Amino acid sequence: MNNQHTYPEVVTFGESMGLMTADDSRGLEYAANLHKSFGGAESNLAIGIARLGHTVGWFGRLGADPLGRMIQKAIRGEGVDVSRSMLAEGEQTGLMLRENVSGHASVHYYRKHSAASRMTPDDLDAEYISQAKILHVTGITAAISESGLATVEKAIEIARHAGVKVCFDPNLRLKLWSIEQARPVLLRLAEQCDYFLPGLDELSLLYETEDETQIFERLNALSAVCIVKGGPNLTYVLDQGQKLEVPYFKAERVLDTVGAGDGFCAGFIVGLLRGYEVTEAVRLGNLNGSMVIQAVGDWEALPTHEQVEAKLNNKVHIER
């Protein structure tokens, strides 16, 4: 291995899957064509950070199959370091199929026993994580298998030992585990991170209450800075007992909400890397998320640094 390797500022890992989307409103059963891409919360985030001009590494286990090779190449092509990712012989890359029938979007997963679900703490490169500024993990990796959860916990332990900040998005996926299974695990992970990024809807399930006062009391008991998405057109920031509100950026048109949360996280983390105050980092996250939903795709619409700056400075786009 090259000892001259410069380590990325942010490290994340998880399952990325092939994605097939029915390209018309008749749904998967009757659609004549499927659009091929890939998706995964962590790789979406990594691409988002790379596009905003910062160094980031993503790793995970992919099958040594056509989908796995496509995914690894595409993530590398976006400027993300994939040197710690792995193509596992004889194992399968997970697959998700998406459809949108009469306004209702559905995802169907084919990821049981996927290469990613076989990830173990032995797959971690401790030095790689220790050299980062921020480790980003999600509840999805914790949900895919027992060994996935063990890997998340070990990565957090490595990061904390090295003084690396830990950012945690619970990303609750009830198709992967029940709320009863998820609750104790996600609440335990929330206690181990520096930045906790839940949605208000996730919190009402985790804390078993719709009462926002109770929810915010529970969050204030955590040592983490809590960034709560999904308020009334705003994001809440809970920092050392203070509750601040950061308004959304108005999206001109909403075409696809998939990937908005990952775009938000990417913008927020980049704000932290740039030394912004937490509320300013959240503002960048809000802007990034609002730009993602104005185009179709899990990660394709993630904006570049130049696009974000142009939006912030209200620059006019010159077509020709």
Side-chain angles (χ1 to χ4, degrees), residues 74-188:
I75 298 173
R76 183 191 292 125
E78 286 291 332
V80 175
D81 177 43
V82 294
S83 62
R84 302 303 187 275
S85 67
M86 182 177 167
L87 294 173
E89 286 296 335
E91 294 182 25
Q92 291 177 338
T93 304
L95 177 66
M96 53 181 162
L97 302 181
R98 187 177 290 144
E99 61 184 345
N100 198 325
V101 184
S102 38
H104 289 287
S106 300
V107 179
H108 306 271
Y109 293 121
Y110 298 84
R111 67 199 299 184
K112 224 181 180 61
H113 311 305
S114 67
S117 70
R118 296 166 189 260
M119 189 189 302
T120 73
D122 291 340
D123 293 329
L124 298 172
D125 179 338
E127 190 183 352
Y128 190 71
I129 293 169
S130 301
Q131 298 293 328
K133 290 179 180 163
I134 295 173
L135 168 72
H136 178 81
V137 291
T138 78
I140 299 174
T141 316
I144 54 177
S145 61
E146 286 291 326
S147 64
L149 170 57
T151 309
V152 169
E153 293 190 304
K154 183 65 182 173
I156 291 174
E157 187 188 309
I158 292 166
R160 291 187 72 104
H161 184 70
V164 175
K165 296 286 188 203
V166 177
C167 180
F168 172 53
D169 185 338
N171 251 318
L172 182 59
R173 296 283 187 273
L174 294 176
K175 284 198 172 182
L176 296 182
W177 54 356
S178 69
I179 186 62
E180 289 73 27
Q181 290 170 300
R183 187 178 289 120
V185 174
L186 297 181
L187 293 179
R188 186 168 78 237

Side-chain angles (χ1 to χ4, degrees), residues 25-277:
S25 58
R26 293 178 297 176
L28 287 163
E29 196 171 337
Y30 299 107
N33 299 302
L34 299 178
H35 173 75
K36 176 174 76 95
S37 182
F38 71 94
E42 301 83 9
S43 53
N44 294 350
L45 168 111
I47 292 168
I49 290 171
R51 287 192 181 176
L52 291 174
H54 284 264
T55 57
V56 56
W58 171 89
F59 62 88
R61 282 173 76 92
L62 296 159
D65 54 23
L67 284 178
R69 287 191 291 271
M70 168 197 78
I71 292 167
Q72 193 185 53
K73 279 181 194 161
I75 298 173
R76 183 191 292 125
E78 286 291 332
V80 175
D81 177 43
V82 294
S83 62
R84 302 303 187 275
S85 67
M86 182 177 167
L87 294 173
E89 286 296 335
E91 294 182 25
Q92 291 177 338
T93 304
L95 177 66
M96 53 181 162
L97 302 181
R98 187 177 290 144
E99 61 184 345
N100 198 325
V101 184
S102 38
H104 289 287
S106 300
V107 179
H108 306 271
Y109 293 121
Y110 298 84
R111 67 199 299 184
K112 224 181 180 61
H113 311 305
S114 67
S117 70
R118 296 166 189 260
M119 189 189 302
T120 73
D122 291 340
D123 293 329
L124 298 172
D125 179 338
E127 190 183 352
Y128 190 71
I129 293 169
S130 301
Q131 298 293 328
K133 290 179 180 163
I134 295 173
L135 168 72
H136 178 81
V137 291
T138 78
I140 299 174
T141 316
I144 54 177
S145 61
E146 286 291 326
S147 64
L149 170 57
T151 309
V152 169
E153 293 190 304
K154 183 65 182 173
I156 291 174
E157 187 188 309
I158 292 166
R160 291 187 72 104
H161 184 70
V164 175
K165 296 286 188 203
V166 177
C167 180
F168 172 53
D169 185 338
N171 251 318
L172 182 59
R173 296 283 187 273
L174 294 176
K175 284 198 172 182
L176 296 182
W177 54 356
S178 69
I179 186 62
E180 289 73 27
Q181 290 170 300
R183 187 178 289 120
V185 174
L186 297 181
L187 293 179
R188 186 168 78 237
L189 293 175
E191 289 176 358
Q192 297 171 37
C193 64
D194 298 283
Y195 300 100
F196 181 40
L197 283 74
L200 210 45
D201 52 344
E202 291 172 320
L203 290 170
S204 59
L205 288 168
L206 291 175
Y207 291 142
E208 300 180 77
T209 176
E210 298 281 330
D211 183 336
E212 287 189 18
T213 312
Q214 280 187 35
I215 288 171
F216 289 122
E217 271 174 17
R218 294 279 300 266
L219 289 174
N220 273 325
L222 295 171
S223 60
V225 174
C226 300
I227 313 296
V228 182
K229 302 165 282 189
N233 292 322
L234 52 84
T235 303
Y236 295 109
V237 177
L238 278 80
D239 189 3
Q240 297 172 334
Q242 265 192 310
K243 181 174 159 207
L244 307 161
E245 299 179 352
V246 184
Y248 286 165
F249 284 82
K250 187 158 172 44
E252 285 142 37
R253 63 193 190 288
V254 177
L255 290 180
D256 183 4
T257 57
V258 171
D262 305 324
F264 170 84
C265 286
F268 171 69
I269 288 174
V270 164
L272 294 177
L273 292 173
R274 291 183 188 164
Y276 291 5
E277 288 290 313

